[in-house]
Amino acid sequence: MSELINRDHRIFLANGVVGVAAAQLGASSLALANPAEAKLPLKQIDAGLLNVGYAEAGPADGRAVVLLHGWPYDIHSFVDVVPLLASAGYRVITPYLRGYGTTRFLSGETFRNGQQSAVALDTIALMDALQIRTAIVAGFDWGARTANIVAALWPQRCKGLVSVSGYLVGNPAAGKVPLPPAAELQWWYQFYLATERGRAGYEKYRHDFAKLIWAIASPKWDFTDATFDRTAASFDNPDHVSIVVHNYRWRLGLAEGESKYDDLEKQLAKGPAITVPSITLEGDANGAPHPDASSYARKFSGKYAHRVISGGVGHNLPQEAPRAFAEAVVEVDRY
């Protein structure tokens, strides 16, 4: 896909900063004969509560970048981002979140918890297991929220942040406040999953459910069945439904989290500022619920820029506009 970029981004290119990044990435442009069949080779490692499935690419001594996917997506959202960054000299780590792909809980007794702080701690545990002291953390959807939390609570571990749709740190108390009807309609799946009928429906129809979400969230993305099926295989994880359902019920205050995360959640409920260098991205055709950029700009107190990626780019921005996403990672590294 050829990505168009907004006026502010063109100005930045003219100033030469992203121009350098684009030159680096241009030499490593990935040409795939059949992109829908491209796979990221996997490794496994014990990290915290999990045995994590992850892809790794690039030089072992390169600056680390951790790429975090969302729901209902998986590591293949970054299938074209990874080789761009690896060829530019980065060590790129792309893990399956808990409940996806080959990531498994080490104990059958562990509560299948989808709350935000637990998922963020998975990232810190993975970095520890891989002996990564600091990394650029980048993601979208659940992955953007997780990246936000890592940057906010553990800034010493975060060299920079790239976040699609900006500041997404949640607060269950705020989640109990009703929204205008049009806004509530966008969250239909959250309310569906709050019911036992919804849990059973997601269990039975999870692939069809996810495909519908893809179509709604990225209305101008003409993805193929093969592209979707490659990702949908990751939803066959035995913990997937439990993690997804708990995540959305916890957000609405309908399910309890774990007390061991209470202190972290209290910090997050205050909406902590993000001090590390940050770039937020938004697709011009994002059909998923997302905040307006003006509502969260003040949350970034360090060096910060916002980019709107145009050309019909939807919610799954890394997969729909991989070069723009990779450029943002290189750009934030130069801050």
Side-chain angles (χ1 to χ4, degrees):
M1 178 186 294
S2 175
E3 289 81 42
L4 301 175
I5 48 182
N6 69 344
R7 177 178 177 275
D8 288 343
H9 202 179
R10 287 197 296 270
I11 291 171
F12 207 75
L13 278 166
N15 288 339
V17 179
V18 177
V20 174
Q24 277 186 300
L25 295 175
S28 59
S29 179
L30 182 67
L32 294 173
N34 190 346
E37 294 180 357
K39 298 285 187 179
L40 294 172
L42 289 180
K43 299 180 177 182
Q44 299 288 142
I45 192 169
D46 288 352
L49 300 174
L50 305 170
N51 177 260
V52 178
Y54 69 102
E56 180 170 0
D61 60 350
R63 171 125 34 223
V65 178
V66 179
L67 302 177
L68 300 168
H69 69 82
W71 172 85
Y73 306 95
D74 82 333
I75 63 174
H76 292 97
S77 287
F78 303 103
V79 71
D80 292 332
V81 173
V82 168
L84 293 172
L85 293 175
S87 294
Y90 292 92
R91 180 189 181 190
V92 188
I93 307 296
T94 312
Y96 281 113
L97 299 187
R98 54 171 61 192
Y100 293 81
T102 60
T103 291
R104 297 289 189 274
F105 284 89
L106 293 172
S107 170
E109 303 302 314
T110 303
F111 177 53
R112 274 36 178 177
N113 186 342
Q115 75 182 101
Q116 61 182 356
S117 56
V119 178
L121 276 170
D122 291 343
T123 301
I124 296 296
L126 178 61
M127 290 173 62
D128 288 344
L130 294 174
Q131 299 182 0
I132 295 172
R133 187 175 63 85
T134 61
I136 298 167
V137 186
F140 73 106
D141 196 83
W142 289 23
R145 177 174 296 105
T146 302
N148 285 183
I149 294 170
V150 170
L153 297 187
W154 298 280
Q156 73 278 11
R157 306 297 300 272
C158 188
K159 169 66 172 59
L161 168 70
V162 175
S163 176
V164 177
S165 298
Y167 188 88
L168 298 175
V169 175
N171 181 345
K176 295 179 181 180
V177 178
L179 301 172
E184 297 281 29
L185 179 62
Q186 290 188 300
W187 289 105
W188 66 271
Y189 55 87
Q190 183 171 247
F191 298 111
Y192 180 69
L193 293 172
T195 68
E196 285 308 299
R197 178 189 176 96
R199 182 188 183 95
Y202 188 60
E203 177 74 64
K204 183 176 182 179
Y205 299 110
R206 72 184 81 172
H207 289 196
D208 292 343
F209 197 108
K211 199 167 190 177
L212 176 61
I213 294 293
W214 277 37
I216 293 171
S218 298
K220 297 185 179 181
W221 182 30
D222 188 23
F223 59 87
T224 66
D225 287 345
T227 296
F228 173 76
D229 290 343
R230 177 182 57 187
T231 284
S234 73
F235 310 148
D236 292 333
N237 182 294
D239 300 307
H240 178 75
V241 173
S242 294
I243 294 296
V244 171
V245 169
H246 183 262
N247 177 282
Y248 285 108
R249 292 184 182 183
W250 177 84
R251 290 194 208 184
L252 291 174
L254 300 176
E256 294 294 327
E258 292 180 89
S259 59
K260 64 182 178 180
Y261 302 120
D262 284 353
D263 288 343
L264 294 176
E265 294 297 347
K266 287 176 183 177
Q267 295 179 62
L268 295 173
K270 297 176 182 177
I274 292 175
T275 60
V276 305
S278 302
I279 294 176
T280 57
L281 302 173
E282 191 60 80
D284 67 338
N286 186 359
H290 61 278
D292 185 87
S294 63
S295 70
Y296 57 70
R298 69 184 184 281
K299 289 294 187 179
F300 298 92
S301 61
K303 190 165 185 181
Y304 169 69
H306 179 70
R307 309 275 181 249
V308 175
I309 310 304
S310 59
V313 176
H315 189 60
N316 186 3
L317 192 149
Q319 196 163 359
E320 298 175 63
R323 186 170 297 279
F325 191 87
E327 285 180 4
V329 172
V330 176
E331 183 181 332
V332 82
D333 187 27
R334 296 178 177 277
Y335 279 2

